[in-house]
Amino acid sequence: MIALTGATGQLGQFVVEELLKTVAAKEIVAIVRNPAKAEALSKQGVLVRQADYGDQAALTQALAGVNKLLLISSSEVGQRAAQHRNVINAAKAAGVKFIAYTSLLHADKSPLGLHVEHVETEKMLADSGIPYTLLRNGWYSENYLASAPAALVHGVFIGAAGYGKIASATRADYAAAAARVISEEGHAGKVYELAGDNGWTLTELAALLSKASGKNVVYQNLSEADFTAALKGAGLPDWLATMLADSDAGAAKGGLFDDSKTLSKLIGRPTTSIEKSVNDLL
């Protein structure tokens, strides 16, 4: 059986959808915090098991009979390392034979602060003795498009990425890669640096928003500190504002760019362009 954590999350939902194209529902275990959110999966025949990243005993129980595990990284930045340790320990206890983990693009040398917990998790996997694959995901296009509505209202897209290129892809693109790796053989021991086929800057994103909406949108580059303050002023929690500004600053240093096209090679099709994502949004 194949299990995945965070099965009802933003990425997990797409992974389950992809898996169901080639894997029998009864062979898929969706590990979720809240089973009520997974009723649709249950109706499709997917095995839904409740477990929290913080509960190693429940995770061990949820992984009973599982051969392969897709560890989708926790969304709780700052708590990820401890939570991932629980999942890996549970996998060892349950006899899981293979783990695929959604890490961060070029985690070992990334300028993004987010890389720290991913590197810690990668080391845990290396020490676990369980065969594994690293899916080092780049940025989701949706991360930036979430700011598009406000940019259209104010005519300004703010950020701190300068002219750094961002090789993003959609969650569905990354999910297709994860589903393939976790359902096929022959991926153990590999590190996949996954990113969109084509890089773009926030200036270019603003131009795409202008073109698609008919409204004039310009990119305003801020310092990391000013961008953090602006995000907090918009109502974002301090930790999220700090993380997003740090990630933008990392993008300015090339942290969100990769031109290997590994993702499109893995999924057998081009990744979704930012232009298509903008047009679909609007």
Side-chain angles (χ1 to χ4, degrees):
M1 288 193 293
I2 295 170
L4 68 156
T5 60
T8 55
Q10 292 177 305
L11 178 64
Q13 293 180 63
F14 284 112
V15 175
V16 175
E17 189 178 312
E18 280 292 325
L19 283 174
L20 285 169
K21 294 176 182 177
T22 58
V23 179
K26 65 181 181 180
E27 293 297 317
I28 301 171
V29 176
I31 299 177
V32 300
R33 286 174 171 167
N34 183 2
K37 292 183 177 180
E39 286 182 8
L41 296 180
S42 294
K43 289 177 181 176
Q44 290 177 277
V46 173
L47 300 177
V48 175
R49 296 179 181 173
Q50 194 280 329
D52 188 280
Y53 283 96
D55 190 338
Q56 186 175 317
L59 288 162
T60 302
Q61 197 169 6
L63 289 170
V66 169
N67 300 312
K68 296 179 176 182
L69 169 65
L70 173 63
L71 171 50
I72 294 179
S73 56
S74 163
S75 60
E76 296 180 79
V77 177
Q79 300 179 49
R80 284 171 159 173
Q83 291 176 337
H84 296 166
R85 186 180 298 281
N86 287 335
V87 178
I88 293 167
N89 286 342
K92 288 175 68 175
V96 171
K97 305 300 183 190
F98 172 73
I99 299 175
Y101 170 62
T102 60
S103 187
L104 177 70
L105 184 66
H106 298 298
D108 53 338
K109 58 182 180 182
S110 174
L112 278 69
L114 283 174
H115 87 283
V116 175
E117 290 183 296
H118 286 296
V119 170
E120 287 183 58
T121 304
E122 290 186 3
K123 186 176 187 308
M124 291 176 210
L125 287 166
D127 293 342
S128 73
I130 301 173
Y132 67 95
T133 294
L134 300 178
L135 300 167
R136 286 180 169 170
N137 289 353
W139 227 231
Y140 303 134
S141 298
E142 291 91 339
N143 290 353
Y144 277 110
L145 294 184
S147 302
L152 291 171
V153 169
H154 299 291
V156 178
F157 194 107
I158 62 171
Y163 294 102
K165 284 199 166 187
I166 299 154
S168 72
T170 62
R171 285 192 177 93
D173 291 336
Y174 291 108
R180 181 167 186 181
V181 167
I182 202 64
S183 63
E184 294 180 349
E185 301 301 324
H187 295 283
K190 295 185 179 179
V191 177
Y192 292 115
E193 304 290 353
L194 304 177
D197 288 342
N198 300 297
W200 46 272
T201 65
L202 291 183
T203 298
E204 290 168 331
L205 176 58
L208 288 173
L209 287 169
S210 298
K211 180 181 177 182
S213 68
K215 300 177 181 178
N216 188 44
V217 179
V218 297
Y219 173 58
Q220 182 179 358
N221 194 60
L222 304 174
S223 68
E224 183 178 348
D226 286 346
F227 188 36
T228 303
L231 292 172
K232 290 179 181 178
L236 269 65
D238 286 4
W239 71 269
L240 183 57
T242 301
M243 183 271 284
L244 291 174
D246 172 83
S247 298
D248 251 30
K253 300 171 185 174
L256 296 179
F257 180 71
D258 179 271
D259 59 0
S260 67
K261 294 185 169 54
T262 302
L263 178 53
S264 57
K265 292 170 187 172
L266 193 55
I267 63 179
R269 61 168 173 78
T271 58
T272 307
S273 69
I274 190 64
E275 185 170 14
K276 184 179 188 309
S277 292
V278 166
N279 290 334
D280 288 348
L281 177 71
L282 297 180

